[in-house]
Amino acid sequence: MPSILGPIVLLQVQRAALKLGAKGARRYHTEPIVGVPRLRVTREGVVGLAAEGEILDAHHRDHPLHKNDDGVHGISVGFTAHYAVMRQRFGPHLVLGSAGESLIVETGRRITLADVDPGLVVLDAAGLEKGRLTQVQVAHPCKAFTGFALRRETVPPEDFKQSLQFLDEGLRGFYCTWAGEPAVLEPGDVGATM
């Protein structure tokens, strides 16, 4: 039986890459992230369903950026408790969803890979299963996101390394793959561990 983590409180897509600039000098920006009222999930990735139409996520296998050619990280999951920890260390600019996850689940505690390694289950408000998120992997933080967390301030290399390590181990979220028939997720659906 699934163990409830909490309700899904935010759904979003990335319209384009979140890192700009040449390799070695990339900067992270959040402008391509857009919140959506519903999210269609398939094995290929996610599509935002908004009043203006469908928005293909940059990690969808059909997106021209080809950020998910292997098909194993088309969906990303984050947790509200992780954002509380990140804001405490780095500041209020790390707003909910700024790491670009597809969905955010409200939780009161930090979620580790050990918690979600068997996979996640998404339930509707009535408790019926909509589908499962499998092949869970840590979304390791990149240098550009770490620079964003540090407000692009110049810090000693050791401080930067410590910040990069701090954001790892799932704090930045998890990548996964949808298992099952296509489904539409909405705020109020529930995330649970298997």
Side-chain angles (χ1 to χ4, degrees):
M1 181 168 176
S3 176
I4 302 298
L5 293 171
I8 294 172
V9 294
L10 181 65
L11 300 168
Q12 56 188 20
V13 293
Q14 295 178 32
R15 294 171 294 181
L18 301 180
K19 294 182 274 189
L20 294 174
K23 192 171 186 174
R26 290 191 177 140
R27 294 182 59 147
Y28 185 89
H29 70 125
T30 60
E31 289 80 14
I33 302 170
V34 62
V36 293
R38 297 179 303 138
L39 199 65
R40 185 172 60 241
V41 291
T42 69
R43 292 177 197 266
E44 286 72 37
V46 301
V47 177
L49 304 175
E52 61 273 13
E54 295 186 350
I55 307 167
L56 194 64
D57 184 82
H59 294 90
H60 193 286
R61 291 195 72 184
D62 293 335
H63 197 283
L65 286 178
H66 302 290
K67 295 181 74 58
N68 185 27
D69 283 336
D70 59 6
V72 296
H73 61 276
I75 302 170
S76 57
V77 179
F79 300 93
T80 57
H82 294 200
Y83 275 92
V85 170
M86 289 189 289
R87 277 192 298 274
Q88 184 175 21
R89 176 157 178 160
F90 299 109
H93 66 290
L94 284 168
V95 298
L96 197 62
S98 58
E101 303 94 338
S102 309
L103 57 106
I104 304 285
V105 176
E106 184 176 358
T107 61
R109 66 179 178 90
R110 184 163 177 179
I111 305 300
T112 67
L113 181 59
D115 295 323
V116 296
D117 189 48
L120 293 159
V121 179
V122 178
L123 309 170
D124 67 14
L128 300 174
E129 185 175 318
K130 286 190 165 188
R132 295 175 181 229
L133 296 162
T134 61
Q135 297 179 305
V136 180
Q137 302 173 3
V138 169
H140 299 291
C142 61
K143 289 181 180 180
F145 181 76
T146 304
F148 171 76
L150 291 165
R151 295 187 191 112
R152 297 184 180 92
E153 295 176 8
T154 302
V155 297
E158 186 57 34
D159 291 347
F160 189 88
K161 180 180 176 183
Q162 288 174 0
S163 295
L164 191 66
Q165 292 169 339
F166 177 82
L167 290 165
D168 207 357
E169 298 182 18
L171 190 63
R172 158 57 190 83
F174 299 93
Y175 292 123
C176 41
T177 303
W178 185 254
E181 295 300 314
V184 174
L185 307 184
E186 302 173 302
D189 288 341
V190 175
T193 57
M194 287 198 240

